Amino acid sequence: MTKKERIYELDIFRSLAIMAVLTIHATSQTVVETKGSLLYLPFLFLNTFSNFAVPVFIFLSGFVLFYNYMDRPLNRRLVQSFYGKRLLYILIPYVLFTVFYFIFQLYKRGELGMPWSQMATELGQDLIHGTAYTHLYYVIIMLQLYVVFPLLLFWFKKHRSIRPWIAFIGLVLEWLFVYLNKYGFHLPDRQYIGQHLDLGLPKGSLLLSYLSYLFLGAGIAVYYDRIKKWLDVSPTGLKAGRGPVWVMIWILWLGIGVLHTLVWYKYNTVGSSLDSLVYSLLRNAHALLSCIVLWHMSHAIYYYGPRILRTALTSIGACSFGIFLLHPFILYWYREWFHGGSSLKYAFHICGSWAAGLLISWIIVYAAFKYVKGSWVFFGSNPLKPKAKKVKS
Protein backbone atom coordinates (compact mmCIF):
# COMPACT_ATOMS: atom_id res chain seq x y z
CA MET A 1 0.00 0.00 0.00
CA THR A 2 1.58 3.29 -1.13
CA LYS A 3 1.65 6.19 1.29
CA LYS A 4 -0.91 8.86 0.59
CA GLU A 5 0.29 12.19 -0.71
CA ARG A 6 0.01 14.89 1.91
CA ILE A 7 -2.32 17.68 0.80
CA TYR A 8 -0.66 20.74 2.24
CA GLU A 9 -3.40 23.26 1.53
CA LEU A 10 -6.01 21.58 3.74
CA ASP A 11 -4.96 23.54 6.83
CA ILE A 12 -5.57 26.75 4.88
CA PHE A 13 -8.97 25.34 3.91
CA ARG A 14 -9.71 24.85 7.62
CA SER A 15 -8.59 28.40 8.39
CA LEU A 16 -11.00 29.85 5.81
CA ALA A 17 -13.81 27.70 7.20
CA ILE A 18 -13.16 28.74 10.81
CA MET A 19 -13.13 32.39 9.71
CA ALA A 20 -16.59 31.85 8.26
CA VAL A 21 -17.70 30.39 11.61
CA LEU A 22 -16.37 33.53 13.35
CA THR A 23 -18.20 35.72 10.83
CA ILE A 24 -21.52 34.02 11.57
CA HIS A 25 -21.10 34.31 15.33
CA ALA A 26 -19.71 37.86 15.28
CA THR A 27 -22.71 39.09 13.25
CA SER A 28 -25.45 36.93 14.78
CA GLN A 29 -26.67 39.63 17.16
CA THR A 30 -25.90 42.37 14.66
CA VAL A 31 -28.49 41.27 12.10
CA VAL A 32 -31.11 41.73 14.82
CA GLU A 33 -29.76 44.97 16.25
CA THR A 34 -29.28 46.73 12.88
CA LYS A 35 -32.61 45.79 11.30
CA GLY A 36 -34.07 48.86 9.65
CA SER A 37 -30.73 50.66 9.42
CA LEU A 38 -28.21 51.10 6.61
CA LEU A 39 -25.94 48.54 8.26
CA TYR A 40 -28.52 45.76 8.11
CA LEU A 41 -27.97 44.56 4.54
CA PRO A 42 -24.14 44.46 4.70
CA PHE A 43 -24.17 42.48 7.95
CA LEU A 44 -26.98 40.24 6.72
CA PHE A 45 -24.85 39.50 3.66
CA LEU A 46 -21.82 38.60 5.79
CA ASN A 47 -23.93 36.38 8.04
CA THR A 48 -25.90 34.63 5.29
CA PHE A 49 -23.04 34.27 2.83
CA SER A 50 -20.95 32.58 5.54
CA ASN A 51 -23.55 29.88 6.18
CA PHE A 52 -21.35 27.46 4.27
CA ALA A 53 -19.12 27.11 7.36
CA VAL A 54 -20.46 23.90 8.90
CA PRO A 55 -21.16 22.21 5.52
CA VAL A 56 -17.58 22.77 4.31
CA PHE A 57 -16.19 21.38 7.56
CA ILE A 58 -18.36 18.27 7.03
CA PHE A 59 -17.11 18.10 3.42
CA LEU A 60 -13.51 18.38 4.56
CA SER A 61 -13.99 15.70 7.23
CA GLY A 62 -15.54 13.38 4.66
CA PHE A 63 -12.67 13.96 2.27
CA VAL A 64 -9.92 13.46 4.86
CA LEU A 65 -11.48 10.31 6.35
CA PHE A 66 -12.07 8.55 3.04
CA TYR A 67 -8.81 9.78 1.53
CA ASN A 68 -6.86 8.30 4.45
CA TYR A 69 -8.83 5.10 5.00
CA MET A 70 -10.25 4.05 1.62
CA ASP A 71 -7.20 2.05 0.56
CA ARG A 72 -6.49 0.55 3.97
CA PRO A 73 -7.76 -2.90 4.97
CA LEU A 74 -10.98 -2.62 6.98
CA ASN A 75 -10.31 -4.79 10.00
CA ARG A 76 -10.63 -4.76 13.76
CA ARG A 77 -7.28 -3.04 14.24
CA LEU A 78 -8.22 -0.17 11.94
CA VAL A 79 -11.60 0.34 13.64
CA GLN A 80 -10.03 0.31 17.10
CA SER A 81 -7.39 2.82 16.03
CA PHE A 82 -10.00 5.04 14.40
CA TYR A 83 -12.25 5.21 17.45
CA GLY A 84 -9.33 5.46 19.86
CA LYS A 85 -8.09 8.65 18.20
CA ARG A 86 -11.58 10.19 18.06
CA LEU A 87 -12.24 9.35 21.71
CA LEU A 88 -9.03 11.08 22.76
CA TYR A 89 -8.96 14.10 20.49
CA ILE A 90 -12.65 14.90 19.93
CA LEU A 91 -14.79 13.45 22.68
CA ILE A 92 -12.64 14.41 25.67
CA PRO A 93 -12.28 18.10 24.65
CA TYR A 94 -16.01 18.17 23.88
CA VAL A 95 -16.91 16.88 27.35
CA LEU A 96 -14.57 19.33 29.08
CA PHE A 97 -15.84 22.33 27.11
CA THR A 98 -19.45 21.25 27.62
CA VAL A 99 -18.85 21.29 31.38
CA PHE A 100 -17.05 24.64 31.06
CA TYR A 101 -19.84 26.30 29.06
CA PHE A 102 -22.52 24.73 31.24
CA ILE A 103 -21.00 26.32 34.35
CA PHE A 104 -20.48 29.57 32.44
CA GLN A 105 -24.17 29.66 31.48
CA LEU A 106 -25.17 29.05 35.10
CA TYR A 107 -22.93 31.97 36.09
CA LYS A 108 -24.51 34.28 33.50
CA ARG A 109 -28.02 33.35 34.68
CA GLY A 110 -27.10 33.56 38.35
CA GLU A 111 -28.00 29.89 38.90
CA LEU A 112 -24.79 28.50 40.37
CA GLY A 113 -26.80 27.53 43.42
CA MET A 114 -28.89 25.07 41.43
CA PRO A 115 -29.45 21.72 43.20
CA TRP A 116 -26.82 19.13 42.26
CA SER A 117 -29.40 16.63 41.00
CA GLN A 118 -30.95 19.17 38.64
CA MET A 119 -27.50 20.32 37.55
CA ALA A 120 -26.46 16.75 36.71
CA THR A 121 -29.65 16.18 34.73
CA GLU A 122 -29.29 19.36 32.70
CA LEU A 123 -25.59 18.74 32.09
CA GLY A 124 -26.38 15.24 30.86
CA GLN A 125 -28.90 16.62 28.39
CA ASP A 126 -26.40 19.20 27.16
CA LEU A 127 -23.77 16.49 26.64
CA ILE A 128 -26.18 14.37 24.60
CA HIS A 129 -27.60 17.19 22.50
CA GLY A 130 -24.65 19.58 22.23
CA THR A 131 -26.65 22.43 23.75
CA ALA A 132 -24.32 23.72 26.47
CA TYR A 133 -23.50 26.57 24.07
CA THR A 134 -24.75 27.48 20.62
CA HIS A 135 -21.79 26.08 18.64
CA LEU A 136 -21.32 22.67 20.28
CA TYR A 137 -23.99 20.99 18.15
CA TYR A 138 -21.30 20.66 15.48
CA VAL A 139 -19.42 18.13 17.62
CA ILE A 140 -22.62 16.08 17.90
CA ILE A 141 -22.75 15.98 14.09
CA MET A 142 -19.14 14.84 13.96
CA LEU A 143 -19.78 12.10 16.52
CA GLN A 144 -22.62 10.83 14.32
CA LEU A 145 -20.20 10.81 11.40
CA TYR A 146 -17.68 8.77 13.37
CA VAL A 147 -20.36 6.24 14.29
CA VAL A 148 -21.43 5.62 10.68
CA PHE A 149 -18.04 6.05 9.00
CA PRO A 150 -16.91 2.39 9.25
CA LEU A 151 -20.26 1.32 7.78
CA LEU A 152 -19.94 3.78 4.89
CA LEU A 153 -16.35 2.71 4.35
CA PHE A 154 -17.43 -0.93 4.18
CA TRP A 155 -20.23 -0.02 1.75
CA PHE A 156 -17.98 1.90 -0.63
CA LYS A 157 -15.30 -0.78 -0.48
CA LYS A 158 -17.67 -3.67 -1.12
CA HIS A 159 -19.71 -2.05 -3.90
CA ARG A 160 -17.18 -0.46 -6.22
CA SER A 161 -19.86 0.16 -8.85
CA ILE A 162 -21.45 2.92 -6.75
CA ARG A 163 -18.24 4.91 -6.33
CA PRO A 164 -18.80 7.17 -9.37
CA TRP A 165 -22.23 8.00 -7.92
CA ILE A 166 -21.21 8.70 -4.34
CA ALA A 167 -21.76 12.47 -4.50
CA PHE A 168 -25.11 12.07 -6.26
CA ILE A 169 -26.25 9.46 -3.71
CA GLY A 170 -25.46 11.86 -0.87
CA LEU A 171 -27.42 14.65 -2.55
CA VAL A 172 -30.45 12.40 -3.06
CA LEU A 173 -30.37 11.07 0.51
CA GLU A 174 -30.09 14.56 2.01
CA TRP A 175 -32.98 15.91 -0.04
CA LEU A 176 -35.09 12.87 0.73
CA PHE A 177 -34.60 13.71 4.39
CA VAL A 178 -35.35 17.42 3.78
CA TYR A 179 -38.55 16.51 1.96
CA LEU A 180 -39.71 14.04 4.60
CA ASN A 181 -38.85 16.54 7.30
CA LYS A 182 -41.14 19.11 5.69
CA TYR A 183 -44.00 16.96 4.47
CA GLY A 184 -43.67 13.73 6.41
CA PHE A 185 -42.38 13.83 9.95
CA HIS A 186 -42.37 17.57 10.77
CA LEU A 187 -39.14 17.36 12.76
CA PRO A 188 -38.83 18.62 15.48
CA ASP A 189 -42.01 20.74 15.86
CA ARG A 190 -43.69 19.57 19.06
CA GLN A 191 -47.15 20.56 17.88
CA TYR A 192 -47.02 17.48 15.66
CA ILE A 193 -46.55 15.04 18.55
CA GLY A 194 -47.65 11.61 17.42
CA GLN A 195 -47.33 12.54 13.74
CA HIS A 196 -43.59 12.74 13.26
CA LEU A 197 -40.49 10.65 13.72
CA ASP A 198 -38.71 12.07 16.76
CA LEU A 199 -34.98 11.51 16.33
CA GLY A 200 -34.16 13.37 19.52
CA LEU A 201 -32.20 16.21 17.89
CA PRO A 202 -33.09 19.32 15.88
CA LYS A 203 -32.76 19.01 12.12
CA GLY A 204 -29.59 21.11 12.03
CA SER A 205 -27.88 18.77 14.51
CA LEU A 206 -28.47 15.64 12.44
CA LEU A 207 -25.87 14.28 10.05
CA LEU A 208 -28.73 13.54 7.64
CA SER A 209 -28.90 17.28 6.95
CA TYR A 210 -25.31 17.29 5.65
CA LEU A 211 -25.04 14.10 3.58
CA SER A 212 -24.51 15.94 0.29
CA TYR A 213 -21.32 17.54 1.68
CA LEU A 214 -20.08 14.37 3.36
CA PHE A 215 -20.60 12.28 0.24
CA LEU A 216 -19.11 14.96 -2.03
CA GLY A 217 -15.97 14.87 0.10
CA ALA A 218 -15.95 11.06 -0.04
CA GLY A 219 -16.45 11.04 -3.82
CA ILE A 220 -13.59 13.48 -4.39
CA ALA A 221 -11.37 11.43 -2.05
CA VAL A 222 -12.00 8.24 -4.00
CA TYR A 223 -11.09 9.87 -7.33
CA TYR A 224 -8.72 12.54 -6.06
CA ASP A 225 -5.81 11.55 -8.28
CA ARG A 226 -8.01 11.96 -11.36
CA ILE A 227 -9.78 15.21 -10.50
CA LYS A 228 -7.22 17.16 -8.47
CA LYS A 229 -6.13 19.05 -11.58
CA TRP A 230 -9.62 20.61 -11.62
CA LEU A 231 -9.42 21.47 -7.92
CA ASP A 232 -5.90 22.91 -7.96
CA VAL A 233 -5.81 26.40 -9.45
CA SER A 234 -2.47 26.85 -11.21
CA PRO A 235 -0.87 28.54 -14.24
CA THR A 236 -0.54 25.10 -15.80
CA GLY A 237 -4.28 24.61 -15.48
CA LEU A 238 -4.96 27.99 -17.07
CA LYS A 239 -2.75 27.09 -20.02
CA ALA A 240 -4.61 23.78 -20.33
CA GLY A 241 -7.92 25.62 -20.69
CA ARG A 242 -9.44 24.89 -17.29
CA GLY A 243 -9.75 28.57 -16.40
CA PRO A 244 -13.28 29.09 -17.85
CA VAL A 245 -14.62 26.27 -15.66
CA TRP A 246 -13.04 27.79 -12.57
CA VAL A 247 -14.43 31.24 -13.43
CA MET A 248 -17.92 29.80 -13.97
CA ILE A 249 -17.84 28.07 -10.58
CA TRP A 250 -16.78 31.32 -8.85
CA ILE A 251 -19.47 33.36 -10.61
CA LEU A 252 -22.13 30.85 -9.64
CA TRP A 253 -20.82 30.82 -6.07
CA LEU A 254 -21.00 34.61 -5.77
CA GLY A 255 -24.33 34.85 -7.60
CA ILE A 256 -26.12 32.22 -5.55
CA GLY A 257 -24.66 33.65 -2.33
CA VAL A 258 -25.98 37.13 -3.19
CA LEU A 259 -29.36 35.70 -4.22
CA HIS A 260 -29.60 33.78 -0.95
CA THR A 261 -28.94 37.01 0.96
CA LEU A 262 -31.49 39.01 -1.06
CA VAL A 263 -34.16 36.36 -0.48
CA TRP A 264 -33.58 36.56 3.26
CA TYR A 265 -33.54 40.37 3.09
CA LYS A 266 -36.88 40.47 1.29
CA TYR A 267 -38.37 37.99 3.73
CA ASN A 268 -37.22 39.93 6.80
CA THR A 269 -38.03 43.45 5.57
CA VAL A 270 -40.96 43.19 3.18
CA GLY A 271 -42.53 40.18 4.82
CA SER A 272 -42.82 38.09 1.64
CA SER A 273 -42.12 34.41 1.95
CA LEU A 274 -41.10 31.48 -0.19
CA ASP A 275 -41.42 27.77 0.29
CA SER A 276 -38.80 26.72 2.85
CA LEU A 277 -37.43 24.29 0.27
CA VAL A 278 -36.27 27.29 -1.78
CA TYR A 279 -34.15 28.52 1.12
CA SER A 280 -32.78 25.00 1.60
CA LEU A 281 -31.97 24.75 -2.12
CA LEU A 282 -30.11 28.08 -2.19
CA ARG A 283 -28.15 27.24 0.96
CA ASN A 284 -27.31 23.76 -0.32
CA ALA A 285 -26.18 24.99 -3.74
CA HIS A 286 -24.04 27.78 -2.27
CA ALA A 287 -22.44 25.49 0.31
CA LEU A 288 -21.63 22.81 -2.28
CA LEU A 289 -19.98 25.41 -4.50
CA SER A 290 -18.16 26.76 -1.43
CA CYS A 291 -16.49 23.38 -0.97
CA ILE A 292 -14.84 23.77 -4.38
CA VAL A 293 -14.16 27.52 -4.19
CA LEU A 294 -12.49 27.26 -0.78
CA TRP A 295 -10.31 24.49 -2.18
CA HIS A 296 -9.33 26.79 -5.06
CA MET A 297 -8.54 29.59 -2.61
CA SER A 298 -6.54 27.31 -0.33
CA HIS A 299 -4.46 25.90 -3.14
CA ALA A 300 -3.76 29.33 -4.63
CA ILE A 301 -2.77 30.80 -1.25
CA TYR A 302 -0.55 27.89 -0.27
CA TYR A 303 1.40 27.62 -3.51
CA TYR A 304 1.28 31.17 -4.89
CA GLY A 305 0.46 33.48 -1.97
CA PRO A 306 2.83 35.49 0.23
CA ARG A 307 4.78 33.33 2.67
CA ILE A 308 3.59 35.24 5.74
CA LEU A 309 -0.04 34.74 4.74
CA ARG A 310 0.48 31.05 4.01
CA THR A 311 2.24 30.50 7.34
CA ALA A 312 -0.39 32.34 9.36
CA LEU A 313 -3.35 30.61 7.73
CA THR A 314 -1.70 27.19 7.99
CA SER A 315 -1.25 27.74 11.72
CA ILE A 316 -4.83 28.96 12.17
CA GLY A 317 -6.09 25.90 10.31
CA ALA A 318 -4.00 23.56 12.44
CA CYS A 319 -5.48 25.19 15.57
CA SER A 320 -9.02 25.42 14.13
CA PHE A 321 -10.70 22.89 16.44
CA GLY A 322 -9.39 24.66 19.53
CA ILE A 323 -10.36 28.05 18.06
CA PHE A 324 -13.83 26.68 17.38
CA LEU A 325 -14.25 25.51 20.98
CA LEU A 326 -12.91 28.68 22.60
CA HIS A 327 -14.00 31.63 20.44
CA PRO A 328 -17.61 32.10 21.74
CA PHE A 329 -16.19 32.74 25.22
CA ILE A 330 -13.91 35.45 23.80
CA LEU A 331 -16.80 37.00 21.84
CA TYR A 332 -18.97 37.15 24.94
CA TRP A 333 -16.44 39.15 26.97
CA TYR A 334 -15.61 41.40 24.04
CA ARG A 335 -19.30 42.35 23.80
CA GLU A 336 -19.40 42.92 27.55
CA TRP A 337 -16.41 45.24 27.55
CA PHE A 338 -16.75 47.07 24.22
CA HIS A 339 -19.85 48.74 22.85
CA GLY A 340 -20.70 50.48 19.61
CA GLY A 341 -22.01 54.03 19.16
CA SER A 342 -22.47 55.69 15.79
CA SER A 343 -22.95 53.55 12.70
CA LEU A 344 -19.26 53.73 11.83
CA LYS A 345 -18.18 52.99 15.39
CA TYR A 346 -20.65 50.11 15.59
CA ALA A 347 -19.30 48.62 12.35
CA PHE A 348 -15.74 48.81 13.70
CA HIS A 349 -16.98 47.26 16.93
CA ILE A 350 -18.31 44.21 15.07
CA CYS A 351 -15.15 43.90 12.99
CA GLY A 352 -13.18 44.12 16.23
CA SER A 353 -15.21 41.31 17.77
CA TRP A 354 -14.42 39.11 14.78
CA ALA A 355 -10.71 39.90 14.96
CA ALA A 356 -10.57 39.45 18.74
CA GLY A 357 -12.44 36.16 18.62
CA LEU A 358 -10.06 34.80 16.00
CA LEU A 359 -6.73 36.21 17.14
CA ILE A 360 -7.09 35.74 20.91
CA SER A 361 -8.39 32.19 20.48
CA TRP A 362 -5.59 31.40 18.03
CA ILE A 363 -2.89 32.78 20.33
CA ILE A 364 -4.23 30.84 23.33
CA VAL A 365 -4.53 27.56 21.45
CA TYR A 366 -1.18 27.94 19.69
CA ALA A 367 0.59 28.78 22.96
CA ALA A 368 -1.08 25.85 24.70
CA PHE A 369 0.06 23.44 21.99
CA LYS A 370 3.60 24.81 22.12
CA TYR A 371 4.13 25.20 25.87
CA VAL A 372 1.52 23.17 27.77
CA LYS A 373 1.99 19.44 28.02
CA GLY A 374 -1.31 17.60 27.61
CA SER A 375 -3.04 20.53 25.91
CA TRP A 376 -4.72 18.02 23.58
CA VAL A 377 -7.14 17.31 26.44
CA PHE A 378 -8.67 20.73 25.86
CA PHE A 379 -8.02 21.51 22.20
CA GLY A 380 -7.69 18.17 20.42
CA SER A 381 -4.76 16.74 18.50
CA ASN A 382 -1.56 18.76 18.74
CA PRO A 383 -0.81 19.77 15.12
CA LEU A 384 2.47 18.81 13.50
CA LYS A 385 4.76 21.57 12.38
CA PRO A 386 4.12 22.41 8.72
CA LYS A 387 6.52 20.71 6.37
CA ALA A 388 8.43 22.45 3.65
CA LYS A 389 6.40 23.91 0.85
CA LYS A 390 6.19 21.86 -2.30
CA VAL A 391 6.91 23.45 -5.62
CA LYS A 392 4.11 23.58 -8.17
CA SER A 393 4.57 24.11 -11.85
Side-chain angles (χ1 to χ4, degrees):
M1 182 178 64
T2 58
K3 187 176 181 180
K4 286 285 189 179
E5 171 193 4
R6 180 177 177 183
I7 305 173
Y8 290 80
E9 59 265 32
L10 292 188
D11 275 331
I12 294 182
F13 191 114
R14 293 185 183 93
S15 72
L16 299 177
I18 198 64
M19 288 179 184
V21 172
L22 264 293
T23 301
I24 293 172
H25 293 164
T27 59
S28 58
Q29 293 183 12
T30 307
V31 294
V32 177
E33 296 171 347
T34 61
K35 192 171 182 179
S37 72
L38 293 175
L39 292 176
Y40 177 64
L41 184 56
F43 281 120
L44 178 67
F45 173 77
L46 289 173
N47 186 273
T48 306
F49 197 90
S50 301
N51 276 336
F52 60 75
V54 169
V56 298
F57 267 122
I58 301 297
F59 161 81
L60 186 58
S61 297
F63 173 82
V64 170
L65 288 175
F66 285 96
Y67 180 76
N68 288 326
Y69 286 94
M70 194 67 188
D71 296 331
R72 297 171 63 180
L74 182 56
N75 52 36
R76 184 175 180 179
R77 182 180 178 183
L78 182 141
V79 173
Q80 287 177 339
S81 173
F82 174 80
Y83 283 116
K85 291 178 181 178
R86 271 69 200 175
L87 177 65
L88 286 176
Y89 299 129
I90 300 295
L91 189 57
I92 290 178
Y94 167 70
V95 171
L96 291 178
F97 267 91
T98 294
V99 173
F100 170 75
Y101 280 113
F102 177 78
I103 295 173
F104 181 55
Q105 292 278 49
L106 292 181
Y107 163 76
K108 289 199 300 178
R109 300 195 303 260
E111 297 179 356
L112 286 173
M114 177 185 294
W116 285 102
S117 58
Q118 181 182 352
M119 191 179 295
T121 299
E122 293 190 10
L123 177 59
Q125 291 298 312
D126 283 341
L127 282 168
I128 294 171
H129 298 102
T131 50
Y133 220 74
T134 55
H135 65 312
L136 292 176
Y137 76 95
Y138 168 74
V139 183
I140 297 299
I141 299 171
M142 294 305 300
L143 293 176
Q144 294 170 62
L145 169 57
Y146 298 147
V147 169
V148 302
F149 172 69
L151 300 176
L152 293 175
L153 185 62
F154 174 78
W155 183 28
F156 297 155
K157 278 177 167 289
K158 185 174 179 63
H159 301 283
R160 299 179 66 91
S161 60
I162 69 170
R163 292 185 182 182
W165 304 96
I166 289 175
F168 179 73
I169 291 170
L171 188 65
V172 170
L173 290 176
E174 179 178 324
W175 274 92
L176 178 62
F177 171 69
V178 170
Y179 184 84
L180 291 177
N181 173 54
K182 180 174 176 62
Y183 295 110
F185 304 130
H186 304 287
L187 300 175
D189 194 335
R190 294 297 175 181
Q191 68 175 310
Y192 291 102
I193 289 177
Q195 301 179 36
H196 72 280
L197 178 62
D198 189 351
L199 299 181
L201 290 170
K203 177 174 173 285
S205 297
L206 291 168
L207 182 63
L208 291 167
S209 298
Y210 305 91
L211 290 180
S212 63
Y213 317 109
L214 171 62
F215 279 53
L216 176 63
I220 291 177
V222 171
Y223 293 103
Y224 178 68
D225 289 338
R226 300 185 192 179
I227 64 178
K228 64 180 180 180
K229 63 184 179 182
W230 293 97
L231 293 170
D232 299 347
V233 177
S234 66
T236 302
L238 289 173
K239 293 176 183 178
R242 292 190 284 271
V245 177
W246 298 335
V247 172
M248 182 183 68
I249 291 173
W250 277 66
I251 291 174
L252 283 173
W253 176 68
L254 291 169
I256 294 175
V258 170
L259 179 60
H260 190 200
T261 301
L262 293 177
V263 167
W264 274 109
Y265 178 77
K266 188 174 181 181
Y267 171 76
N268 285 297
T269 56
V270 181
S272 62
S273 62
L274 290 173
D275 191 303
S276 62
L277 294 181
V278 175
Y279 297 106
S280 297
L281 177 62
L282 289 172
R283 182 176 186 270
N284 185 221
H286 187 246
L288 287 170
L289 289 169
S290 297
C291 297
I292 308 303
V293 170
L294 263 63
W295 197 301
H296 288 171
M297 289 182 181
S298 304
H299 185 273
I301 291 171
Y302 186 84
Y303 289 103
Y304 309 108
R307 181 178 179 180
I308 187 171
L309 178 63
R310 181 180 73 248
T311 302
L313 292 182
T314 298
S315 177
I316 290 172
C319 298
S320 59
F321 185 58
I323 294 171
F324 167 79
L325 292 172
L326 186 60
H327 79 270
F329 184 71
I330 306 298
L331 286 179
Y332 173 81
W333 288 112
Y334 181 94
R335 289 164 178 162
E336 287 290 302
W337 294 335
F338 300 97
H339 304 279
S342 63
S343 294
L344 183 59
K345 185 178 179 181
Y346 183 84
F348 277 109
H349 163 70
I350 300 304
C351 294
S353 70
W354 181 90
L358 177 65
L359 296 177
I360 295 176
S361 299
W362 175 30
I363 291 170
I364 291 173
V365 175
Y366 179 83
F369 280 141
K370 189 170 184 179
Y371 300 111
V372 180
K373 187 176 181 180
S375 56
W376 63 267
V377 173
F378 301 100
F379 301 123
S381 179
N382 193 336
L384 299 175
K385 292 182 179 180
K387 294 182 180 179
K389 176 183 172 184
K390 284 189 173 183
V391 178
K392 283 275 180 172
S393 58

